[in-house]
Amino acid sequence: MKGIVFTEFLDLVENKFGLEMVDEIINASNLESEGIYTSVGTYKFSEMLQLLQHLSANTGISIDDLLLVYAEHFFSVLEDSYSGLLATYKDPIEMISSIENHIHVEVRKIYPDAELPTFEVIEKTDNSLVMIYKSSRAMHHFGLGLMNKTFEHFNSKASIVLEKLKADGTEVKFLINKN
């Protein structure tokens, strides 16, 4: 997992819960990196999972809800760093449906060893989208948060229903309807 995901996560934890919480979740975890991350480094997903589990235990907030909030924070990083890429889209459905064939292609140019989820478009209209998310990491709520912020970015609203196709969350169907 790319370091930017860790550095931004810890920034969010510090901003929302304080530096003491950052220290707490790092110290409570068994991290190969010892909690020292660079945005361009690559780290094991198990480290992110430990940080999330300890943050959840300390705050009483579910991991899914933490991922949702984190994704909304991370979208602002994307807006700041990749505004040119976002500007190529005029509509949230268009942008979300292009995750696999455009956005992830661009991410791989910057981070060739990035391990990204897959998003398969099953059905697309001007106002709706059905996609299948697949990832061994089961971070579907991170995807949901990014989708929510995508609609907000385009001053639009949508109902997004998440349906687990596998109980462990490694395969999820997103049913997106633009309001």
Side-chain angles (χ1 to χ4, degrees):
M1 183 170 260
K2 295 314 296 178
I4 190 169
V5 178
F6 287 87
T7 58
E8 290 299 329
F9 177 73
L10 294 176
D11 283 350
L12 175 69
V13 172
E14 182 178 351
N15 290 336
K16 297 282 186 190
F17 304 105
L19 191 55
E20 298 79 17
M21 182 65 75
V22 173
D23 287 341
E24 172 66 31
I25 65 173
I26 288 173
N27 291 330
S29 301
N30 182 16
L31 305 174
E32 191 176 304
S33 69
E34 298 180 357
I36 301 166
Y37 303 105
T38 65
S39 61
V40 294
T42 302
Y43 307 92
K44 292 181 179 172
F45 173 66
S46 61
E47 292 198 17
M48 176 58 73
L49 191 54
Q50 288 180 68
L51 294 169
L52 282 164
Q53 288 168 336
H54 288 111
L55 183 60
S56 178
N58 278 285
T59 62
I61 302 169
S62 73
I63 289 176
D64 282 348
D65 286 344
L66 290 170
L67 284 170
L68 195 66
V69 170
Y70 175 45
E72 292 175 354
H73 164 80
F74 199 77
F75 191 88
S76 66
V77 173
L78 299 176
E79 282 180 313
D80 293 342
S81 302
Y82 305 102
S83 58
L85 179 63
L86 298 181
T88 63
Y89 296 99
K90 305 293 177 233
D91 175 81
I93 296 283
E94 176 192 4
M95 184 171 158
I96 293 169
S97 67
S98 74
I99 292 169
E100 190 65 29
N101 296 321
H102 183 223
I103 295 171
H104 281 177
V105 170
E106 295 300 317
V107 170
R108 283 189 180 92
K109 288 179 185 176
I110 300 164
Y111 303 109
D113 57 345
E115 296 172 34
L116 303 170
T118 61
F119 289 88
E120 178 186 357
V121 175
I122 303 300
E123 184 182 318
K124 179 185 171 197
T125 70
D126 288 344
N127 293 308
S128 69
L129 183 63
V130 178
M131 300 175 77
I132 305 294
Y133 159 97
K134 293 180 184 174
S135 174
S136 61
R137 297 184 174 132
M139 290 179 63
H140 44 81
H141 270 72
F142 186 79
L144 177 61
L146 290 174
M147 290 177 196
N148 287 338
K149 290 304 271 188
T150 298
F151 277 90
E152 191 178 300
H153 175 79
F154 288 100
N155 297 312
S156 188
K157 294 186 186 289
S159 68
I160 303 175
V161 176
L162 184 148
E163 178 185 314
K164 286 186 181 178
L165 301 177
K166 290 190 176 175
D168 64 0
T170 57
E171 194 169 320
V172 171
K173 182 188 286 185
F174 285 100
L175 303 130
I176 304 166
N177 287 293
K178 192 173 170 183
N179 297 340

